Amino acid sequence: MANNIDKVKIIVVGDSGVGKTCLTHLIAHNEPLIRPGWTVGCNIEVKLHEYKEGTPQQQTYFIELFDIGGSLSHKNTRGVFYTPTHGIILVHDLTNRKSHENLRDWLYEILNKEGKDTHKPSNIMNTLHADQNVFDREQFLGATQIPILVIGTKLDLIDDKRQPKPLQKTGGIADHCGAEEIWLNCRDTRKLAAGTTDAVKLARFFDRVIEKKTHTREHGYLTDRRKYATTSSYIAPETSLIVNAPNFDFKTNIIKPTDNVLIDSSNLQ
């Protein structure tokens, strides 16, 4: 059955410590991650998703969630995980306003597909920082229009006394990108329970990602440039990063949901 299931790749990015690993675990397993570790390189979680559930077009897909480590020391190497990209989840900490502001730099880094020189001056970035209310979505995202979802974590830690000026959902990067936004506590499974508003938003985002991949496949761009060896390791191009997936199916290029994916970071610089 798994041989007939297509897949899409979503990269999950944000500053170190915002809760990306807890978030991807919650999405994939519908349970909280009690003792998360620091991500070095990339962790991968896989979720089964029913595209257009309840309609004649319903189809099962694997959603690959690439949790990218946010450490600045790995900024020059993590770009290898950005291509191909069918969707982007931008994650910020609701108790850390700077992490929300930095999402613009993350978005630029991904769309630049270099993984480096994020703060290099450019007309686009100068426009963004000169006037936070000016955001040319067409110019910034280009023709690809990659689906984006913004997620704020640590909702349980927001305290009106400590946060006299809490973040507002209006006017932020989600509005500028035309993206939906979710605020949640990654230890509370009820926020993403079936039928909830946030679960519907997440499912709608996954559907948009699948539609985007189908569109790009038909028009011949954003092709998958990954090369798979004959062993259970994926060697990222032009780097020494190795992603190990013990049960990887090399005929279908599918990582099964039961896999434990590890990162060999011994050669990271």
Side-chain angles (χ1 to χ4, degrees), residues 70-266:
S71 173
L72 287 175
S73 61
H74 301 146
K75 186 176 70 172
N76 291 335
T77 57
R78 65 193 177 212
V80 299
F81 297 114
Y82 295 161
T83 304
T85 297
H86 305 122
I88 302 170
I89 296 180
L90 300 173
V91 186
H92 65 100
D93 178 348
L94 291 169
T95 68
N96 182 349
R97 188 177 297 272
K98 183 64 175 176
S99 71
H100 180 266
E101 296 171 357
N102 288 343
L103 292 182
R104 293 174 181 272
D105 293 334
W106 278 102
L107 188 55
Y108 179 75
E109 179 179 316
I110 296 165
L111 299 178
N112 204 33
K113 292 188 173 61
E114 291 290 337
K116 57 186 177 180
D117 298 333
T118 306
H119 299 285
K120 183 178 180 179
S122 69
N123 291 335
I124 294 175
M125 291 307 292
N126 287 342
T127 299
L128 288 176
H129 292 293
D131 184 349
Q132 295 297 316
N133 294 321
V134 176
F135 189 92
D136 189 333
R137 186 177 181 232
E138 291 292 333
Q139 180 186 17
F140 195 52
L141 298 183
T144 59
Q145 294 293 303
I146 299 173
I148 295 172
L149 178 68
V150 179
I151 298 183
T153 61
K154 307 183 183 180
L155 181 62
D156 54 313
L157 298 183
I158 291 183
D159 184 331
D160 291 340
K161 293 181 180 179
R162 290 184 298 160
Q163 305 286 333
K165 295 181 179 180
L167 287 170
Q168 300 295 325
K169 286 189 177 181
T170 58
I173 191 169
D175 276 357
H176 294 155
C177 293
E180 291 192 293
E181 185 167 9
I182 295 172
W183 288 6
L184 51 69
N185 166 15
C186 291
R187 295 183 179 180
D188 185 358
T189 59
R190 294 172 299 177
K191 288 289 288 182
L192 294 181
T196 62
T197 300
D198 290 337
V200 171
K201 286 183 180 180
L202 186 62
R204 192 159 52 213
F205 168 70
F206 288 156
D207 282 357
R208 288 175 54 224
V209 171
I210 291 167
E211 290 165 357
K212 179 58 187 175
K213 180 182 180 181
T214 302
H215 177 76
T216 56
R217 179 186 292 162
E218 292 173 351
H219 290 78
Y221 52 84
L222 278 182
T223 55
D224 192 333
R225 297 186 301 177
R226 289 178 290 183
K227 302 299 181 182
Y228 295 96
T230 57
T231 65
S232 58
S233 295
Y234 154 45
I235 303 178
E238 301 180 359
T239 75
S240 57
L241 294 178
I242 300 177
V243 180
N244 294 316
N247 296 318
F248 189 85
D249 187 332
F250 295 97
K251 293 182 180 179
T252 61
N253 288 350
I254 288 177
I255 301 172
K256 299 177 182 179
T258 55
D259 283 348
N260 293 317
V261 182
L262 305 174
I263 301 297
D264 181 351
S265 61
S266 56

Side-chain angles (χ1 to χ4, degrees), residues 50-61:
E50 295 299 327
Y51 170 67
K52 290 191 174 180
E53 187 172 12
T55 71
Q57 293 77 36
Q58 180 171 336
Q59 183 178 346
T60 302
Y61 277 81

